[in-house]
Amino acid sequence: MSKNSSNIMALAPAAPNKRETVCIFGTGDFGRALGHKLIQSGYPVVFGSRSSHPSSLVPKDAEVLSHVEAAQKAAIIIIAIQRQHYSFLTSLADVLRGKVLVDISNNLKINQYPESNAEYLAQLVPGARVVKAFNTVSAWALQSGTLDASRQVFVCGDDAEAKKMVMDIVRALGLTPLDKGSLLAAQEIENYPLQLFPMWKFPIFLSLGLTVFFFIYCVVLNVIYPYVYEKKDFSFFIAISIPNQVCPVLALTLLGLVYLPGVLAAIIQLCRGTKYRRFPDWLDKWMLCRKQLGLVALAFACVHVLYTLVIPIRSFVRWRIGNQIISQVLSSNKTQPLDTSKAWISDSYLALGILGFFFFVLLGITSLPSVSNSVNWREFRFVQSKLGYLTLVLCTAHTLVYGGKWFLVPSSYKWYLPPIYMLSLIVPCAVLVVKFVLIFPCLDNPLTQIRQGWERNPRYSQ
Ligand code: NAP
């Protein structure tokens, strides 16, 4: 076989694609980290700096030149400089004409300036093609390689070709570009890194408010009431007993609040006879943070489990058991027969609690992006809806079996206040009852039709 045979040619390694030089203005933290990553990905990098003696941290394989010299060497220039220092770029307008300028800057406050930094850059250098990108990636993540949580790079710009060039670089770095449209989107992109847990605000403030309310409620019933009427000091309940009442109550109430907007939305759609009208804003926002509400509820359930596990080693509990045994010995000197109905109740609420907690954890796990990304939409809905309602039923039953016996006992209504378990059942029971009613075919069928696009009073004639 000849050496020039086509088989041999096919096995020969392909020549690596020559990457275009990328220029970075600024040898600060971000410029260096991005430069390092670009060099690793095969891009020749040239830095434009004020200093001809750059820091030793600048990647060895990169050239450091003046801004003008560096800009002349590349078609793409990444501006790794804070916005307040952009003004010097006007003096480079000639050399930057036609170049792709990548604005990566962030601000300290949301909507800090009337226009986005990228639009400001475009005003300063009108001849350049400005693209916004990379601002949601941190220098630390770039350098340490821990980009798992932030692989997405939002890109926007008015010049499609310039945007494509930047998106190619993003992909070459192993990141995922997400086209957000024109430069008008830059302000929104610049606001992303400044948002502090936007979806968590409502769940956290709500749970904080409810925690304070339920805690005070329990202190009144369990500490102040016995002190006023019996002069007994149960203030130590504040450490374990009361938190162990507040946590399950919050977990159940918040879990109910996860499913309440769903049934409210169903009622609204049934009343309106269409799904094509927007829900009120508060309902939209509530629906958007259901996952966060559920995770906060799960956190309270976990703390409840921990508190419950320490019950047997509590001094008060050991004292009470010892006291009961000695009182029994002194009064009758024999053990009482086993009350099987009590044993049934106790075992039942424990079993319901264990099962409820198991499904609760399962729900929490399936809401993790890595898990939810690996199931299809139907599987995800099955877990979040069917298993979610099963969890709600089990946890509600757990509370009912545990506290139900006190509901009809007048002495448990101290100062006419219902026991806390009763309060915790209001939301979940309301949700379960409405959900049960909505299952009836006379409501379920029209609701299914509405969700498939049917309208009672169509706005557009066919
Ligand atoms: P930095 O460490 O302060 O570096 C900024 C660089 O800008 C300096 O090293 C300097 O480079 C240059 N510079 C400073 N003053 C200048 C002036 N008056 N005129 C011209 N150049 C000047 O900042 P950084 O953390 O690298 O951030 C750079 C940009 O990236 C910022 O807009 C920031 O919002 C954005 N960003 C940063 C991160 C991050 O994790 N750090 C993440 C996303 C976005 P020379 O000395 O070489 O000229």
Side-chain angles (χ1 to χ4, degrees), residues 27-30 49-50 80-82 85 88 104-106 135 137 139:
T27 56
D29 294 340
F30 197 83
S49 173
R50 293 164 304 169
I81 296 171
Q82 311 282 352
H85 303 310
F88 84 98
I104 57 160
S105 62
N106 283 318
N135 68 308
V137 181

Side-chain angles (χ1 to χ4, degrees), residues 134-334:
F134 290 114
N135 68 308
T136 51
V137 181
S138 79
W140 178 80
L142 274 176
Q143 221 153 15
S144 62
T146 49
L147 277 160
D148 285 350
S150 51
R151 280 196 179 276
Q152 230 167 33
V153 173
F154 301 104
V155 182
C156 76
D158 293 337
D159 187 306
E161 194 199 351
K163 213 159 48 171
K164 188 184 166 299
M165 286 163 78
V166 175
M167 285 163 89
D168 286 344
I169 293 185
V170 172
R171 275 189 214 98
L173 298 186
L175 305 170
T176 316
L178 194 90
D179 190 347
K180 295 289 279 184
S182 76
L183 214 54
L184 284 175
Q187 190 135 34
E188 188 186 322
I189 299 178
E190 285 168 16
N191 285 339
Y192 285 153
L194 297 171
Q195 284 169 349
L196 187 67
F197 303 121
M199 290 296 167
W200 287 90
K201 264 189 200 145
F202 172 66
I204 287 177
F205 284 127
L206 178 73
S207 50
L208 275 179
L210 287 174
T211 306
V212 172
F213 171 75
F214 286 130
F215 190 84
I216 294 173
Y217 195 89
C218 286
V219 169
V220 169
L221 295 188
N222 300 317
V223 179
I224 299 178
Y225 183 89
Y227 186 76
V228 170
Y229 283 96
E230 302 162 29
K231 286 281 169 279
K232 282 184 182 164
D233 177 13
F234 285 134
S235 53
F236 64 92
F237 277 180
I238 286 173
I240 290 186
S241 300
I242 291 180
N244 200 23
Q245 289 181 23
V246 172
C247 287
V249 167
L250 274 164
L252 188 56
T253 306
L254 292 176
L255 186 62
L257 290 175
V258 171
Y259 290 95
L260 185 57
V263 293
L264 290 180
I267 294 171
I268 291 175
Q269 286 180 333
L270 273 174
C271 294
R272 289 176 173 173
T274 178
K275 70 166 185 176
Y276 295 116
R277 270 172 61 196
R278 275 200 60 199
F279 293 125
D281 271 0
W282 57 267
L283 188 57
D284 262 343
K285 284 184 188 147
W286 188 355
M287 296 226 257
L288 282 176
C289 65
R290 282 182 292 180
K291 172 177 156 181
Q292 287 73 8
L293 264 178
L295 289 175
V296 176
L298 177 58
F300 279 111
C302 291
V303 179
H304 169 50
V305 169
L306 290 179
Y307 274 124
T308 306
L309 290 177
V310 301
I311 286 178
I313 58 168
R314 287 183 65 203
S315 147
F316 169 67
V317 173
R318 282 183 289 147
W319 168 84
R320 201 173 53 186
I321 294 172
N323 223 18
Q324 276 169 354
I325 294 169
I326 291 171
S327 310
Q328 226 174 65
V329 171
L330 291 177
S331 63
S332 57
N333 203 14
K334 61 176 182 194

Side-chain angles (χ1 to χ4, degrees), residues 2 27 51 79 118 142 186 225 332 344 367 391 406 408:
S2 89
T27 56
S51 161
I79 313 292
L142 274 176
Y225 183 89
S332 57
W344 256 111
S367 72
T391 310
W406 292 314
L408 298 175

Side-chain angles (χ1 to χ4, degrees), residues 32 53-60:
R32 290 195 314 266
H53 303 289
S55 120
S56 59
L57 296 171
V58 172
K60 298 269 174 301

